[in-house]
């Protein structure tokens, strides 16, 4: 049986993690982290994710800082990052792309949009 691609969902809000897991679990294997530190630990594991859904606004290390750390590590830099956030200002999107994100999805989530964007970026990264 073919292994499903893995997605790491990083958000400090368990409700958002639950929604994204519900939207995506039938097609992909889901990993979760509720902080930037937890996300970096998950990435250091034996089987890292194929794509990361990363919230921007989190206490401690924010999503921008997590993205910069990932993109600064040669072993992880290839993993596509989609920012998922309530922040929808053009400047925030520009900052996300400048740091290396491949996409940007705003809350509240549109399940069809989230699935389509995840699917596209998984295919592009394989």
């Amino acid at each position: 049986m073919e292994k499903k691609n893995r997605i790491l969902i990083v958000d400090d809000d368990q409700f958002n993690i639950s929604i994204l897991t519900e939207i995506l679990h039938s097609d992909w294997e889901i990993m979760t982290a509720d902080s930037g530190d937890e996300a970096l630990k998950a990435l250091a594991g034996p089987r890292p994710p194929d794509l990361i859904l990363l919230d921007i606004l989190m206490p401690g290390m924010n999503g921008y800082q997590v993205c910069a750390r990932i993109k600064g590590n040669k072993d992880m830099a290839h993993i596509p990052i989609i920012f998922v956030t309530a922040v929808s200002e053009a400047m925030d999107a520009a900052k996300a792309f400048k740091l290396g994100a491949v996409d940007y999805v705003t809350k509240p989530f549109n399940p069809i949009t989230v699935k389509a964007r995840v699917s596209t970026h998984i295919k592009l990264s394989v």
Side-chain angles (χ1 to χ4, degrees), residues 58-92:
M58 296 186 293
M61 192 182 322
N62 69 35
Y64 295 132
Q65 294 165 317
V66 175
C67 182
R69 294 270 297 270
I70 292 167
K71 295 304 177 181
N73 181 315
K74 66 177 179 55
D75 296 327
M76 298 184 250
H78 69 282
I79 302 171
I81 296 173
I82 299 175
F83 275 112
V84 180
T85 185
V87 179
S88 60
E89 295 297 319
M91 291 299 290
D92 294 304

Side-chain angles (χ1 to χ4, degrees), residues 28-79:
W28 298 282
E29 184 180 331
I30 305 298
M31 306 166 63
T32 63
D34 62 11
S35 70
D37 287 329
E38 247 191 66
L40 294 173
K41 286 178 189 166
L43 286 161
R47 191 168 163 239
D50 300 294
L51 182 135
I52 302 166
L53 289 171
L54 179 59
D55 186 25
I56 292 176
L57 302 176
M58 296 186 293
M61 192 182 322
N62 69 35
Y64 295 132
Q65 294 165 317
V66 175
C67 182
R69 294 270 297 270
I70 292 167
K71 295 304 177 181
N73 181 315
K74 66 177 179 55
D75 296 327
M76 298 184 250
H78 69 282
I79 302 171

Side-chain angles (χ1 to χ4, degrees), residues 1-124:
M1 183 175 179
E2 186 178 317
K3 284 187 181 177
K4 287 184 177 182
N5 289 96
R6 297 178 97 185
I7 297 170
L8 173 60
I9 300 170
V10 185
D11 199 311
D12 60 315
D13 185 331
Q14 286 300 317
F15 180 70
N16 290 331
I17 288 176
S18 296
I19 291 170
L20 288 168
T21 299
E22 182 61 32
I23 292 169
L24 302 169
H25 81 277
S26 62
D27 296 310
W28 298 282
E29 184 180 331
I30 305 298
M31 306 166 63
T32 63
D34 62 11
S35 70
D37 287 329
E38 247 191 66
L40 294 173
K41 286 178 189 166
L43 286 161
R47 191 168 163 239
D50 300 294
L51 182 135
I52 302 166
L53 289 171
L54 179 59
D55 186 25
I56 292 176
L57 302 176
M58 296 186 293
M61 192 182 322
N62 69 35
Y64 295 132
Q65 294 165 317
V66 175
C67 182
R69 294 270 297 270
I70 292 167
K71 295 304 177 181
N73 181 315
K74 66 177 179 55
D75 296 327
M76 298 184 250
H78 69 282
I79 302 171
I81 296 173
I82 299 175
F83 275 112
V84 180
T85 185
V87 179
S88 60
E89 295 297 319
M91 291 299 290
D92 294 304
K95 184 174 182 177
F97 291 126
K98 188 173 184 177
L99 286 169
V102 297
D103 212 336
Y104 192 91
V105 178
T106 57
K107 300 172 188 175
F109 306 118
N110 176 318
I112 294 167
T113 301
V114 171
K115 261 188 138 167
R117 290 184 175 182
V118 166
S119 180
T120 295
H121 291 295
I122 289 278
K123 287 176 188 170
L124 289 171

